[in-house]
Amino acid sequence: MEKILLEVKNLKKYFPLKKGFFQGDKGNVRAVDGVSFLAREGDSFGLVGESGSGKTTVARVVLRLIEPTEGEVLLDHKDICRCTESEMKELRKNMQMIFQDPHSYLNPRKTVFNSVAEPLVIHEKMKGRKLREKVETLLEIVGLKREHMFRYPHELSGGQKQRVGIARALSLQPKLLILDEPTSALDVSVQAQMLNFLESLQKRMNLTYLFISHNLAVIRYTCNVVAVMYLGKIVEMGQTENIFSSPRHPYTRALVSAVPLPQAEQPEKTILLEGDIPSATRIPPGCRFHTRCPEKIGAVCKEVEPSTRFFSDGSQVDCHLYPVSASTD
């Protein structure tokens, strides 16, 4: 039986809006509003959705870079939201993050050696020859040479910078690796190389990935399970092929229809959504997607928030188009 490494239960993160120094709160930005999912050891779990849907906020709360408003985050069955500072220092070895822009997250004043060595110095108190040999090994794992060790970030290409970030994240041998748009800042040819590398790395080190992207083609290639987020909530979740072959939620159908196919003539099936994603400070009543939904069925969509429907293929969807009882299709 596969082990569950990460379990997120009813996670919420609200950011208060201030009127002024003496005027109190104006309301909340409901960035994450009741998200639940689990990731099994060695799997890749994908979070997709438009900008502003709450994907990166989920990642930051999972790492406890920001504190949750409500909910639980269990890593190896331990709730990190209740851990003390000393307990978190130990747990951070098991979860690391690859950020979106490799050009900005590396310190321009530090060499590759210093950037990769920093976690080892802080957590393992490593130094001297042992430290140098460990950094050399990590660079070799990510496909960089010894000569790159004492270069600065401006002397590296985008792909090389991203590999330095991966080497740094791997230095403490984590179990969970969160990848926030890890290929979006790279050239298309380099993106393919990076995705192949991440796949081989996962198999080699038995890593669990939480993969965040708005690029559904990347998610389809890399992930076993996909969750589609809209305005702070997961509206559909299931096995990757089920989601892409038979999407149930109108929002998922629109996203999947927009993925370009590798052929000269594209089929005329793109679903165009009207308007923009609403503000997280003024979430619409009822189904939060009804303001843009091409398939809304009347007052129920505008007034009643849909509960989760479960299907026999393991998928789940929050939509009034389906009966509340579990489906067998």
Side-chain angles (χ1 to χ4, degrees):
M1 186 176 180
E2 293 180 327
K3 175 185 175 183
I4 296 174
L5 179 68
L6 175 68
E7 188 170 5
V8 175
K9 297 180 180 180
N10 194 35
L11 189 65
K12 296 181 181 181
K13 180 58 187 177
Y14 298 168
F15 295 97
L17 289 172
K18 300 289 184 181
K19 288 182 179 178
F21 190 76
F22 296 106
Q23 295 178 322
D25 292 343
K26 190 178 181 180
N28 291 305
V29 176
R30 291 155 65 181
V32 178
D33 199 16
V35 165
S36 300
F37 64 86
L38 56 86
R40 301 185 186 279
E41 191 173 55
D43 273 2
S44 295
F45 185 94
L47 273 179
V48 300
E50 293 172 280
S51 296
S53 59
K55 307 183 300 296
T56 298
T57 305
V58 169
R60 293 180 180 276
V61 176
V62 166
L63 288 173
R64 205 174 159 189
L65 298 178
I66 52 178
E67 296 292 332
T69 303
E70 190 178 312
E72 297 176 289
V73 178
L74 306 177
L75 184 71
D76 259 345
H77 306 290
K78 187 167 187 176
D79 188 358
I80 69 168
C81 301
R82 299 175 184 271
C83 289
T84 63
E85 189 174 335
S86 60
E87 288 173 331
M88 276 307 302
K89 186 174 181 180
E90 281 299 310
L91 275 176
R92 289 198 190 282
K93 296 179 184 180
N94 291 324
M95 48 184 188
Q96 294 292 315
M97 188 168 183
I98 307 296
F99 295 94
Q100 180 173 354
D101 184 9
H103 308 292
S104 62
Y105 68 69
L106 293 177
N107 190 330
R109 296 176 179 272
K110 289 187 176 182
T111 62
V112 169
F113 174 82
N114 289 330
S115 291
V116 176
E118 188 173 27
L120 295 167
V121 173
I122 293 173
H123 288 276
E124 305 293 341
K125 311 300 181 187
M126 200 176 289
K127 58 184 178 181
R129 179 183 294 180
K130 187 177 180 181
L131 178 62
R132 183 187 175 105
E133 289 175 351
K134 180 67 174 179
V135 172
E136 286 181 6
T137 301
L138 288 166
L139 294 181
E140 184 180 345
I141 289 172
V142 299
L144 295 176
K145 300 177 181 177
R146 184 183 299 178
E147 64 196 53
H148 292 108
M149 252 202 325
F150 296 103
R151 291 183 183 177
Y152 288 88
H154 71 272
E155 299 176 284
L156 304 174
S157 68
Q160 288 172 334
K161 290 177 186 177
Q162 195 66 292
R163 288 173 185 266
V164 172
I166 294 171
R168 177 186 168 96
L170 294 177
S171 60
L172 298 174
Q173 299 179 314
K175 296 178 180 178
L176 174 68
L177 204 56
I178 298 179
L179 302 108
D180 186 5
E181 302 276 10
T183 61
S184 62
L186 305 178
D187 294 336
V188 175
S189 59
V190 180
Q191 285 184 23
Q193 295 174 17
M194 184 59 65
L195 291 175
N196 287 331
F197 166 69
L198 288 171
E199 184 181 26
S200 63
L201 186 69
Q202 183 180 33
K203 293 177 181 176
R204 177 178 175 179
M205 303 185 71
N206 194 34
L207 293 167
T208 303
Y209 288 164
L210 176 56
F211 210 112
I212 297 169
S213 181
H214 63 267
N215 188 333
L216 270 72
V218 169
I219 290 293
R220 187 171 192 175
Y221 180 80
T222 57
C223 296
N224 309 97
V225 182
V226 179
V228 181
M229 286 193 69
Y230 185 81
L231 208 57
K233 289 186 79 74
I234 290 176
V235 296
E236 185 168 1
M237 181 163 60
Q239 294 294 316
T240 303
E241 283 311 308
N242 292 337
I243 295 292
F244 279 87
S245 61
S246 55
R248 292 184 170 92
H249 198 281
Y251 180 59
T252 311
R253 282 200 278 269
L255 293 180
V256 171
S257 74
V259 177
L261 298 174
Q263 58 193 47
E265 294 185 7
Q266 298 293 311
E268 295 182 3
K269 63 170 186 176
T270 303
I271 301 171
L272 298 178
L273 297 178
E274 297 180 358
D276 297 319
I277 188 168
S279 169
T281 61
R282 293 185 298 276
I283 292 178
C287 173
R288 56 192 65 199
F289 184 60
H290 84 263
T291 58
R292 303 171 69 196
C293 182
E295 302 180 47
K296 56 180 175 284
I297 54 178
V300 65
C301 292
K302 297 179 181 180
E303 298 171 3
V304 181
E305 185 170 2
S307 56
T308 302
R309 280 76 164 160
F310 297 93
F311 296 84
S312 57
D313 62 3
S315 301
Q316 64 182 65
V317 63
D318 290 13
C319 183
H320 289 298
L321 292 174
Y322 306 93
V324 176
S325 59
S327 173
T328 57
D329 61 4

